[in-house]
Amino acid sequence: MNSLKKFPDKFIADLKAIINPRDFVTDEEKIKPSLTDWVGYADGKSSLMLTPRNTEEVSGILKLCSNYKIPIVPQGGNTGSVAGAIPNGEIILNMTKMNSIREINPNDYTVTVDAGCILEKIHELAIESNRFFPLSIGSQGTCTIGGNISTNAGGISVLKYGNMRDLVLGLEVVLPNGEIWNGLRRLRKDNTGYALKHIFMGAEGTLGIITAACLRLFPEITEKATAFASLRNLDSCVDLLELLRTEGGDSLSSYELIPDIGLDIAITYGEEIIEPLSKRYQWNVIIEFSGTKNDGAAKLNLENTLNTAIENGIILDAIIANSLKQANSIWKIRKAIVEYQPRLGGEIKHDVAVPISNVPEFIKEANDAVRRVIPDIRPVAYGHIGDGNIHYNVCPPLEYDHVSFKEKTEEIHKAVYDIAFKFGGSFAAEHGVGVVKKNEMLRYKSETEINLMKLIKISIDPNQIMNPGKVLENKKY
Ligand code: FAD
Ligand code: 2HG
Ligand code: ZN
């Protein structure tokens, strides 16, 4: 209990009156997984983790924290990429025990869930009602809906369905003073003043705790056609997207860039990954068409469109999966890049967005810029280019000293982000700001934008107890 000494006795006693003893966690071993992240950015500290089971408990905790001005860090599945859920001595409010489905309304195409529900559970639930929930990200077996909303997560289906913000109809939020805002509306249309839900989405836990959400569902997807295609050159990625959009319309659900170095990583380190084409090319894409009819139309359409692309010289070769196994093998290439890229001696990550038509120029200019910092550096530019979102990660040259590489991080960040900025792009497309990109906030956002954010922050969280030191600098405004 010594670890709790820094908190007033009365505060701890009052907390214990609100929350069940098993949800009041001080055991270091149990807290440990919440102090680090998968990217290796974080080395957190905390002596207390609370795992509430309902909205009233969250409300009671926040009211107390507000009264005592004791800060908390909200945490879902802790799969975030920017250390946003990692405490620096604060109490952790882990939401994973709030994981009930509140109601599903297939006719309204909605489902209302607790914020701690795991994303994959929502996928399964939707299918049981012949519906589809489209947010699709590599961490879906672990991440929570609350975390997805708080980071406004993206993934591989944004092209067709939008990002998390577009999939949320209503929210229930506990404000920092403990007040509960019930905004759980199931409406597509509701123009009644300011869109408050949008303030909490993408706020990375700095404005309140999302305790529940009403999500949009879609007709069940019963047919998918997946292809791996090699582009004539990088510029062709824009022409191919244009053709796929024109010919595929709403069927086009994913468009992901795979560079040859990414394919190399996947084949070298991944399991059950088959070389998709007989020859390797420098730039490739994974394409998915999907539909609700299960009549072969998606596959036929994709086949015809790719034939046109070959005839027009936009692509050099392509394969369409003939079985689910083959489709999975193609998608495994994409997943393996994320998992195994660190094996190339480490990586410096960038999650940038530029207008789609600028993707090729961005990649070429960024390659030149990072090579000016370290001549033989190995860029791995991949990801959701159908949304203009490039995971522009760079690995060191072969045999390069690890420490020297890490020392170049800031220089490389600046080189890459300056180019994204020049194209009117973003330094944080889908992963958020957290702790990791706070400097970029100051460098690339206008004073007006930062000041507006500070005004929102201070009016909702005057005691600054919500996730201090994340997104905006932690100081009294
Ligand atoms: P956490 O990491 O626990 O928290 C993220 C942020 O949200 C923190 O700031 C936290 O304080 C806040 N928060 C969490 N829950 C709440 C709540 N209930 N109320 C208020 N604030 C809260 N992201 C993408 O966008 N696209 C991808 O394609 C993608 N792929 C990934 C693949 C892998 C293998 C991994 C490991 C991660 C990937 N991510 C991706 C990143 C990550 O999974 C997402 O950011 C996800 O949305 C985080 O959810 P979480 O529950 O783990 O949140
Ligand atoms: C993905 O698209 C994730 O797989 C992770 O957003 C990307 O950080 C990365 O490399
Ligand atoms: Zn991504």
Side-chain angles (χ1 to χ4, degrees):
M1 278 297 152
N2 270 351
S3 59
L4 298 182
K5 263 198 168 152
K6 67 181 206 175
F7 302 110
D9 292 344
K10 177 84 170 81
F11 169 75
I12 294 294
D14 288 351
L15 260 187
K16 285 183 169 169
I18 293 170
I19 197 159
N20 192 303
R22 63 196 167 155
D23 301 327
F24 185 98
V25 184
T26 53
D27 180 338
E28 281 179 22
E29 282 308 302
K30 286 190 180 149
I31 295 178
K32 210 170 161 188
S34 293
L35 303 181
T36 51
D37 65 359
W38 68 284
V39 189
Y41 287 139
D43 182 18
K45 297 191 282 286
S46 180
S47 52
L48 177 60
M49 179 163 79
L50 305 172
T51 58
R53 288 172 192 254
N54 57 54
T55 304
E56 287 65 37
E57 287 182 3
V58 174
S59 164
I61 293 166
L62 259 62
K63 195 169 174 193
L64 258 187
C65 287
S66 237
N67 289 346
Y68 283 87
K69 297 191 173 41
I70 291 178
I72 58 156
V73 175
Q75 191 170 82
N78 192 18
T79 67
S81 304
V82 287
I86 305 297
N88 185 19
E90 301 89 5
I91 296 173
I92 303 168
L93 192 77
N94 183 293
M95 296 295 290
T96 48
K97 283 189 187 157
M98 277 189 68
N99 56 11
S100 302
I101 306 299
R102 298 203 184 175
E103 62 174 336
I104 180 155
N105 301 88
N107 289 341
D108 294 336
Y109 285 78
T110 63
V111 61
T112 303
V113 301
D114 278 354
C117 275
I118 302 293
L119 173 57
E120 208 162 69
K121 187 170 160 187
I122 314 294
H123 291 165
E124 290 161 10
L125 185 85
I127 285 174
E128 282 168 23
S129 296
N130 301 112
R131 297 291 179 262
F132 175 62
F133 184 65
L135 186 79
S136 178
I137 61 180
S139 54
Q140 60 200 29
T142 314
C143 64
T144 63
I145 288 296
N148 300 150
I149 297 171
S150 300
T151 56
N152 185 25
I156 59 168
S157 304
V158 172
L159 179 60
K160 179 167 175 179
Y161 298 98
N163 43 26
M164 192 62 191
R165 193 183 284 284
D166 303 302
L167 304 174
V168 175
L169 293 175
L171 287 183
E172 179 187 83
V173 179
V174 177
L175 301 177
N177 64 5
E179 209 177 317
I180 301 169
W181 171 50
N182 184 344
L184 279 177
R185 298 175 190 119
R186 290 193 276 134
L187 307 173
R188 283 301 301 283
K189 293 194 167 181
D190 177 28
N191 289 349
T192 49
Y194 302 147
L196 293 180
K197 67 179 179 187
H198 283 291
I199 290 178
F200 297 97
M201 296 198 259
E204 301 181 52
T206 60
L207 298 178
I209 300 289
I210 295 170
T211 44
C214 176
L215 308 174
R216 287 174 68 190
L217 297 177
F218 294 80
E220 187 183 2
I221 293 298
T222 49
E223 186 187 9
K224 277 184 185 173
T226 309
F228 187 94
S230 297
L231 300 165
R232 181 163 53 89
N233 54 37
L234 185 54
D235 293 325
S236 312
C237 74
V238 179
D239 303 329
L240 180 60
L241 181 61
E242 169 65 21
L243 183 69
L244 292 165
R245 281 201 140 138
T246 311
E247 299 300 318
D250 230 16
S251 310
L252 177 62
S253 41
S254 297
Y255 189 67
E256 298 280 320
L257 184 69
I258 308 287
D260 57 351
I261 185 170
L263 185 56
D264 212 44
I265 292 169
I267 301 278
T268 309
Y269 301 107
E271 278 161 30
E272 295 168 32
I273 297 176
I274 302 152
E275 187 83 42
L277 298 169
S278 51
K279 199 171 159 211
R280 286 263 181 104
Y281 298 92
Q282 192 178 1
W283 296 105
N284 313 278
V285 282
I286 296 177
I287 306 157
E288 187 187 82
F289 273 21
S290 54
T292 55
K293 292 227 171 87
N294 200 14
D295 57 1
K299 194 170 177 198
L300 190 64
N301 193 352
L302 183 53
E303 215 166 85
N304 290 338
T305 311
L306 291 179
N307 278 334
T308 310
I310 288 185
E311 280 160 24
N312 295 352
I314 298 173
I315 61 172
L316 300 171
D317 199 0
I319 182 167
I320 301 183
N322 260 328
S323 62
L324 188 62
K325 195 170 169 217
Q326 221 177 353
N328 287 342
S329 168
I330 291 176
W331 277 116
K332 274 183 187 163
I333 296 171
R334 173 66 178 79
K335 286 192 184 135
I337 300 176
V338 189
E339 189 174 347
Y340 298 110
Q341 197 192 330
R343 301 241 182 133
L344 301 197
E347 61 177 333
I348 297 174
K349 282 180 178 290
H350 307 91
D351 164 39
V352 302
V354 293
I356 294 171
S357 58
N358 294 128
V359 165
E361 272 171 290
F362 165 80
I363 294 177
K364 286 180 221 168
E365 288 194 26
N367 286 351
D368 290 344
V370 296
R371 284 183 185 130
R372 279 194 292 273
V373 181
I374 303 177
D376 291 320
I377 199 166
R378 289 174 291 170
V380 184
Y382 74 102
H384 324 293
I385 55 163
D387 316 317
N389 177 190
I390 307 125
H391 292 309
Y392 188 86
N393 300 346
V394 293
C395 297
L398 283 171
E399 315 290 334
Y400 200 82
D401 174 59
H402 181 73
V403 177
S404 312
F405 182 61
K406 285 288 159 201
E407 279 170 2
K408 297 281 185 192
T409 302
E410 280 311 311
E411 208 179 330
I412 286 173
H413 280 337
K414 186 167 183 313
V416 173
Y417 294 139
D418 277 357
I419 294 163
F421 186 70
K422 189 186 86 179
F423 287 114
S426 168
F427 58 85
E430 59 168 7
H431 295 163
V433 175
V435 178
V436 174
K437 296 183 182 174
K438 279 197 305 182
N439 286 344
E440 282 73 21
M441 286 290 274
L442 296 177
R443 188 178 298 140
Y444 299 108
K445 292 260 174 199
S446 70
E447 221 179 304
T448 309
E449 222 168 331
I450 293 282
N451 285 340
L452 274 173
M453 288 192 202
K454 286 179 178 173
L455 275 175
I456 292 171
K457 168 76 177 167
I458 203 64
S459 52
I460 295 179
D461 182 21
N463 294 322
Q464 302 199 52
I465 61 160
M466 293 301 309
N467 215 359
K470 312 290 165 52
V471 184
L472 295 167
E473 276 309 328
N474 181 32
K475 45 181 174 255
K476 296 284 171 213
Y477 306 127

